[in-house]
Amino acid sequence: MSHFHQAVKALIERVKQAEDGVTRIEEVLDLSPEFSAIDWLDAQPIYPKFYWQSRDTREEVVALGQLFTFSDPAPAYTVLNEGQRVWGGKAFDGESDKSRRCMPSFFFLPQIELIRSERQWSLAVNLNTDISRTLSNLRKLSLDVRPLAPISTHITAMTHTPALPQWEKKVEQALCGIDQNQFKKVVLARKTELDLSSEVKPTQLLKASYQQNHHSFHFMLALDSKHGFIGSTPERLYYRHERELHTEALAGTIGRGNNATHDMELANWLSRDSKNLNENQYVVDDIIERLEPHSQSIEVEDEARLVRLRKVQHLKRTIQVKLNEGINGIQLLGALQPTAAVAGLPRKEA
């Protein structure tokens, strides 16, 4: 019997013996599993599934099954106990055209979590008065975990919306609006649909991005085996511990060079370019304006630093905030999401 299998059995026994009022049990693993967290996530038959890895790679979490679900995160505060976290996501506006499977907001308190913190692994469960569902899902856990096959499909068709003529028209509208002081900053976006020669699992795409896109947060939410929402982003909305909040302005962008010298030339240009420095400052000013009503003090990094990613380089300034007493995450999400880095300025018009 594998070490991980033994840990699952031990956790099942601890759940069976749990006293009334116990809401979370965690089984620390003496040895690291022989599989990766994403491979383990793929092997499990339990939904919803959530994966999250911190940008500094120090923490990785797989969350399975739902103990409670929330269409908005606010009610979660009434049920969360020590050590418990909800996972999920909230759309910027909840109104854009999207798959019918994609809800404007979905959060859940999972039944089972596999957690890596630095090099320490643990398996945890959240409990309510009905432990039978949690025990049932623990017994469903697949212990036969095999490495995901790399993506081998190819693109048979590609559709951009808007198409090039409409895209060029939008660029002209944005530039004209900026010249006429209707906007300070506009972020244009388009949708790309791909037809593939064979099916790709969401977990395959997640693992490929995880392996290629470093210095990024990676996440995936899957409500069933056919649909997955995946992201890899270098940008943190905010990190909060008690009354200390850390956020950042990641704005101002240029590509990577074909060699180290070219890379440095582009970086030097970006760090001196007035358009990109102004763009970064707009985002800083917007974050400050949105957080001031909730804050005792705000400190901003004096000069922008360079962040190098696989394809691009960004300007970044960190912002540290001392929050007022009693500020909760719902207020912070409402104030910050989305920042001017993706929403533009003024937010409504952009």
Side-chain angles (χ1 to χ4, degrees):
M1 188 185 298
S2 72
H3 175 74
F4 188 81
H5 192 178
Q6 290 175 342
V8 173
K9 290 194 70 173
L11 189 57
I12 289 172
E13 290 306 311
R14 290 179 64 186
V15 171
K16 287 179 181 177
Q17 297 167 19
E19 296 179 358
D20 290 345
V22 173
T23 57
R24 184 172 175 86
I25 299 174
E26 195 161 335
E27 183 75 18
V28 175
L29 307 183
D30 295 329
L31 300 174
S32 298
E34 296 177 352
F35 44 75
S36 77
I38 297 176
D39 291 339
W40 189 78
L41 167 76
D42 177 71
Q44 304 314 317
I46 303 161
Y47 292 89
K49 296 182 177 184
F50 198 93
Y51 173 85
W52 185 81
Q53 182 226 280
S54 62
R55 183 172 57 187
D56 59 11
T57 73
R58 294 171 65 182
E59 187 176 24
E60 195 174 15
V61 179
V62 174
L64 302 173
Q66 57 192 41
L67 199 63
F68 298 105
T69 61
F70 312 94
S71 58
D72 188 84
Y77 283 98
T78 64
V79 301
L80 286 181
N81 292 289
E82 184 71 27
Q84 294 181 332
R85 293 183 286 187
V86 294
W87 303 93
K90 183 177 174 65
F92 290 156
D93 58 13
E95 297 169 4
S96 303
D97 289 339
K98 58 177 75 71
S99 163
R100 287 180 292 107
R101 301 287 308 180
C102 187
M103 293 172 282
S105 179
F106 177 80
F107 293 87
F108 72 107
L109 176 64
Q111 289 178 310
I112 301 167
E113 291 173 306
L114 177 65
I115 303 161
R116 176 183 61 80
S117 181
E118 301 281 6
R119 295 183 180 181
Q120 179 67 68
W121 290 78
S122 60
L123 192 64
V125 291
N126 295 308
L127 302 172
N128 58 14
T129 52
D130 178 16
I131 66 168
S132 59
R133 285 174 55 236
T134 301
L135 283 170
S136 174
N137 275 343
L138 280 170
R139 294 185 180 110
K140 288 178 188 173
L141 289 177
S142 174
L143 302 172
D144 181 18
V145 178
R146 299 176 185 179
L148 275 161
I151 294 174
S152 59
T153 189
H154 64 270
I155 298 169
T156 58
M158 183 185 304
T159 306
H160 301 301
T161 307
L164 184 58
Q166 289 77 32
W167 176 259
E168 290 175 334
K169 184 178 178 182
K170 283 183 176 290
V171 172
E172 288 301 321
Q173 285 178 320
L175 292 173
C176 182
I178 289 171
D179 286 341
Q180 295 175 2
N181 292 320
Q182 295 173 357
F183 314 117
K184 286 184 177 181
K185 171 177 162 60
V186 176
V187 182
L188 299 178
R190 68 180 183 182
K191 177 171 69 174
T192 299
E193 293 185 65
L194 305 177
D195 290 335
L196 305 177
S197 59
S198 58
E199 185 176 313
V200 171
K201 291 181 176 183
T203 43
Q204 286 179 296
L205 191 57
L206 173 69
K207 190 172 182 178
S209 183
Y210 167 93
Q211 291 170 337
Q212 294 290 326
N213 296 310
H214 303 143
H215 311 295
S216 295
F217 296 95
H218 301 284
F219 56 88
M220 186 189 92
L221 170 64
L223 300 182
D224 57 43
S225 61
K226 295 293 183 181
H227 302 84
F229 181 80
I230 301 161
S232 296
T233 174
E235 187 174 20
R236 164 180 277 156
L237 185 63
Y238 72 84
Y239 169 82
R240 185 256 184 98
H241 179 69
E242 296 180 350
R243 291 175 61 196
E244 299 290 332
L245 181 140
H246 300 263
T247 183
E248 58 201 37
L250 195 68
T253 307
I254 198 166
R256 296 295 303 267
N258 2 346
N259 54 52
T261 304
H262 187 210
D263 218 25
M264 187 56 69
E265 288 172 355
L266 293 172
N268 289 336
W269 177 88
L270 179 64
S271 62
R272 294 193 297 263
D273 179 60
S274 59
K275 179 265 180 190
N276 282 286
L277 290 169
N278 284 339
E279 182 183 350
N280 189 275
Q281 187 64 48
Y282 287 153
V283 176
V284 169
D285 292 344
D286 181 63
I287 290 173
I288 291 172
E289 182 182 336
R290 294 182 177 282
L291 286 178
E292 270 183 334
H294 308 295
S295 306
Q296 208 173 79
S297 63
I298 300 177
E299 295 180 12
V300 182
E301 192 171 14
D302 290 334
E303 294 187 3
R305 290 178 286 126
L306 203 67
V307 174
R308 282 196 172 100
L309 303 172
R310 187 164 64 101
K311 295 286 189 180
V312 295
Q313 308 179 67
H314 292 300
L315 294 176
K316 173 184 174 180
R317 288 166 74 192
T318 57
I319 301 167
Q320 296 187 41
V321 179
K322 182 77 169 179
L323 295 169
N324 294 331
E325 288 278 4
I327 299 300
N328 64 39
I330 310 307
Q331 292 167 291
L332 295 173
L333 274 180
L336 285 174
Q337 188 198 32
T339 71
V342 292
L345 283 172
R347 185 188 292 205
K348 184 178 178 181
E349 290 79 2

